[in-house]
Amino acid sequence: MHDSRNDMAQRTAAPAWRPAGALLTQGDLEIAQLGLVSGEDAVNYFTTATKDAPVKFVHLVPANTGMDFKPYSLDVVSSGVALSCGNYFTMSQSGLVHCVLHKDS
């Protein structure tokens, strides 16, 4: 049986941001290979990344911190998860943008 790169990534431990069975995009794979999981990881990556770096931006959502209020704790997520949440952040070398999707009533 031949395993593609995406199939192999699917079998690794699924981070909290990727629901079981969700397919990864090429960008998601690159982010996973770099080990970007938290907002702090993303900041560290972008402060040292060059213009030729493979990852140009990441999506983040507020981390599940339980009852502790930690507004600056963010988790890196796939673009599909970010869009389905409707309340997410996008980080690049240029900065951080808070995005909120509104549904028409």
Side-chain angles (χ1 to χ4, degrees):
M1 177 183 276
H2 181 274
D3 287 338
S4 72
R5 185 174 169 195
N6 197 28
D7 291 338
M8 291 170 57
Q10 293 285 337
R11 289 194 196 94
T12 61
W17 57 265
R18 184 173 58 86
L23 293 178
L24 298 173
T25 66
Q26 183 62 36
D28 294 333
L29 288 171
E30 290 171 349
I31 291 167
Q33 289 172 344
L34 290 170
L36 303 180
V37 176
S38 69
E40 187 174 348
D41 294 338
V43 168
N44 291 335
Y45 171 77
F46 287 118
T47 57
T48 60
T50 65
K51 66 177 181 158
D52 299 324
V55 175
K56 303 298 183 197
F57 62 90
V58 296
H59 298 293
L60 306 106
V61 295
N64 182 0
T65 57
M67 296 298 290
D68 295 333
F69 180 66
K70 296 182 180 179
Y72 300 108
S73 292
L74 301 172
D75 289 333
V76 175
V77 297
S78 67
S79 57
V81 170
L83 290 172
S84 69
C85 289
N87 179 19
Y88 63 94
F89 298 84
T90 300
M91 182 185 292
S92 70
Q93 281 185 307
S94 300
L96 183 72
V97 177
H98 185 198
C99 304
V100 179
L101 301 177
H102 294 281
K103 294 185 178 184
D104 294 333
S105 302

